[in-house]
Amino acid sequence: INKDCAEIQMPDTDPNSLSTIAYTSGTTGHPKGAMQSHNAVILNGAMTSQMHIRGENDVVVSALPCPHVYANVIMIGMMMFGTKLVLHKTFDPASIFKDIEKHKATIFDGVPTMFMYMMNSPEFNKADLSSLTRCYVGGQTMPVATMQDVEKTFKVPLIDYKKEINEAKNRALNSVDFSLGQILNLAENNENMPNSSSLNKDISDID
């Protein structure tokens, strides 16, 4: 840091050029590679954090894998808005409980199986989950009765990623086409949205 360093030259990248190819599992059809532009990835991350109301005051504990949507959408959104992420290499209920208490986590992200293991863990009754404000579940559909059990046990709302994303998609299809700059302005003018002041100014000007 104390040494003289040349100014970092940022690459001149076309926002509409290819950034990512995400391969689907073929759940509802044949497996395929979904091509995403840089603009699409940034927009996706920004909109997801706003939809989840994740901001600089949130701390997320998670053991979800990063090769697919969790890193490409949710992690990017958290980095853009300054959310702290405590990421575990493997899922272990006792370790998760420990870090929720240690870091005063406000959010736990998981899949249905994780919640079941946590509720059935002998460590659960001793775990301090009082800092949590909500949990998110994804990966597969969780029965309503099970979701209600999780909410009752964890004492916080459990939000279904898939349902939330589908509702957001339907709203987007029935609304005008926003630029990234417009979306960030909406976030800054809404006190319930994360503050986007930490975003790079060049990124916020992308149309």
Side-chain angles (χ1 to χ4, degrees), residues 119-183:
M119 289 193 296
N120 291 320
S121 168
E123 303 293 324
F124 187 86
N125 291 331
K126 297 182 290 183
D128 181 0
L129 308 178
S130 59
S131 61
L132 291 176
T133 59
R134 70 269 198 205
C135 293
Y136 290 84
V137 63
Q140 65 186 87
T141 302
M142 180 182 275
V144 173
T146 308
M147 291 186 70
Q148 291 172 342
D149 286 342
V150 172
E151 291 185 328
K152 182 179 179 180
T153 307
F154 280 71
K155 297 181 173 61
V156 294
L158 177 63
I159 303 166
D160 188 332
Y161 278 125
K162 187 183 295 185
K163 181 179 178 182
E164 200 173 49
I165 290 171
N166 286 337
E167 288 177 353
K169 186 190 299 180
N170 291 334
R171 288 196 297 270
L173 290 173
N174 292 302
S175 65
V176 297
D177 184 23
F178 286 104
S179 69
L180 179 57
Q182 289 172 307
I183 290 170

Side-chain angles (χ1 to χ4, degrees), residues 22 65-75 165:
C66 297
H68 206 258
V69 173
Y70 195 72
N72 199 35
V73 177
I74 299 171
M75 274 185 62
I165 290 171

Side-chain angles (χ1 to χ4, degrees), residues 3 26 37 65 100:
K3 293 181 179 179
S37 67
I100 289 175

Side-chain angles (χ1 to χ4, degrees), residues 99-117:
D99 270 354
I100 289 175
E101 179 177 357
K102 177 181 177 181
H103 297 278
K104 303 297 181 187
T106 57
I107 299 173
F108 173 71
D109 289 332
V111 295
T113 307
M114 291 179 178
F115 285 98
M116 299 307 296
Y117 272 107

